[in-house]
Amino acid sequence: MNIEVDGYNICYKITGTGDKTVVMLQGWGTDLGVYDSVADSINQEYRFVQFDFPGFGGSDEPKEGWNVDAYADFFCKFMQALQIDKAALIGHSYGGRVIIKLAARENIPFEITNIVLIDSAGIVPEKSFRQKMKIRRYKALKKVLNLKVIYALFPELIDDWRSRQGSADYRNATPVMRQCLVMAVNEDLTELLPRIRQDTLLIWGDKDRDTPIGDAKIMEEKIPNAGLAVLSGAGHFSFLEQPAIFQSIMRSYFQIGVNNVH
């Protein structure tokens, strides 16, 4: 389905028919279908909303680079468009960043009942001396290669070098979405974590290289009402890599089937 939110055409779908609503906020570069198994774990008793952020999946791209706060602002408008005034929020990776921003705000137009963060982004690690030197060399080389006279001499070599810089997410993004990504990854949200008042479940793969398990432990320590469930052997998409254990954790946390027990 599609809905217009603030002038943007947004893809979304809703499964389940429960009285309570859960909304899924996706990871960077994914489309809403990646989270079907998350929906299936609890939509027997919950109304489950999946959607594509602007610039993700089938939704329109932002007209300019958005930071995380801009995505949080958009999400508030999305919730109003669907007339949702109370929901649990689940965030994977980038989606976790947006939830942290929302939960730390004093006023938002809907109530967050509780939160699940799956391999969430938001912690910026301290760079090692080696990483700092690598960044310094990269910036110096980039400045030289951007000189028109140098580019005129070696255009193919320079284009090839540029195409191999940055993460896969960065290389695969459009110019506007690259701006969004750069603003996100350089913003550390650690100081916002103590402001999260909701009960928060952290689900993490212990082999996650994108958002390491150390990030989860920082979040568990800083968020007042947080608990951590670790999925052994799983990486950044832990919910896909350990689906049975993930589903069991979700069903327990959301008390699926509890009302049917006599």
Side-chain angles (χ1 to χ4, degrees):
M1 294 188 287
N2 293 79
I3 188 171
E4 186 173 304
V5 180
D6 201 28
Y8 292 97
N9 188 46
I10 302 300
C11 290
Y12 78 104
K13 71 175 178 179
I14 299 175
T15 55
T17 56
D19 295 332
K20 297 178 180 178
T21 300
V22 178
V23 186
M24 181 78 223
L25 285 74
Q26 73 204 118
W28 187 271
T30 64
D31 66 77
L32 59 85
V34 170
Y35 303 95
D36 286 349
S37 63
V38 181
D40 291 343
S41 68
I42 61 171
N43 63 9
Q44 304 93 324
E45 297 182 23
Y46 285 81
R47 179 171 172 253
F48 198 98
V49 180
Q50 295 159 256
F51 73 100
D52 284 328
F53 276 126
F56 294 45
S59 293
D60 290 345
E61 188 174 277
K63 297 177 180 67
E64 59 188 8
W66 283 6
N67 60 16
V68 182
D69 277 305
Y71 273 101
D73 292 342
F74 162 81
F75 182 71
C76 290
K77 293 171 185 173
F78 174 76
M79 293 289 275
Q80 289 176 309
L82 288 184
Q83 298 182 318
I84 299 171
D85 56 16
K86 186 177 183 179
L89 301 184
I90 303 176
H92 172 238
S93 194
Y94 183 83
R97 284 185 186 274
V98 179
I99 291 175
I100 291 167
K101 284 281 192 177
L102 289 164
R105 289 183 178 184
E106 288 298 321
N107 294 298
I108 55 175
F110 61 93
E111 179 188 345
I112 304 172
T113 57
N114 52 304
I115 294 167
V116 179
L117 298 178
I118 307 168
D119 300 294
S120 176
I123 307 292
V124 176
E126 180 67 30
K127 289 181 174 63
S128 66
F129 176 77
R130 189 175 179 182
Q131 288 171 318
K132 288 177 181 176
M133 291 305 295
K134 186 178 178 182
I135 291 168
R136 191 174 295 174
R137 285 196 302 271
Y138 165 76
K139 287 181 176 178
L141 187 56
K142 184 180 178 184
K143 190 176 288 186
V144 171
L145 296 182
N146 280 340
L147 294 172
K148 288 182 180 179
V149 64
I150 300 295
Y151 184 79
L153 291 171
F154 311 104
E156 291 179 4
L157 280 174
I158 293 171
D159 286 342
D160 178 65
W161 178 83
R162 285 174 176 167
S163 72
R164 290 183 281 107
Q165 302 309 304
S167 67
D169 283 337
Y170 182 83
R171 294 195 301 271
N172 293 333
T174 64
V176 166
M177 295 310 291
R178 284 182 179 182
Q179 291 177 37
C180 299
L181 182 59
V182 168
M183 284 188 277
V185 299
N186 288 320
E187 185 178 12
D188 190 357
L189 306 185
T190 305
E191 66 176 22
L192 299 181
L193 300 175
R195 298 191 209 169
I196 298 175
R197 297 169 295 281
Q198 294 82 359
D199 185 81
T200 302
L201 172 63
L202 307 167
I203 305 178
W204 232 269
D206 65 351
K207 304 299 183 190
D208 190 337
R209 292 184 178 180
D210 295 302
T211 53
I213 190 70
D215 293 3
K217 291 175 179 175
I218 291 170
M219 290 188 184
E220 183 184 24
E221 178 192 342
K222 301 279 187 184
I223 299 172
N225 299 303
L228 172 62
V230 179
L231 301 188
S232 181
H236 192 56
F237 286 79
S238 58
F239 61 97
L240 295 177
E241 295 170 53
Q242 294 283 11
I245 300 171
F246 176 83
Q247 183 180 64
S248 177
I249 292 168
M250 289 288 285
R251 290 176 66 83
S252 175
Y253 182 70
F254 284 95
Q255 299 186 304
I256 303 299
V258 169
N259 296 331
N260 298 326
V261 176
H262 298 285

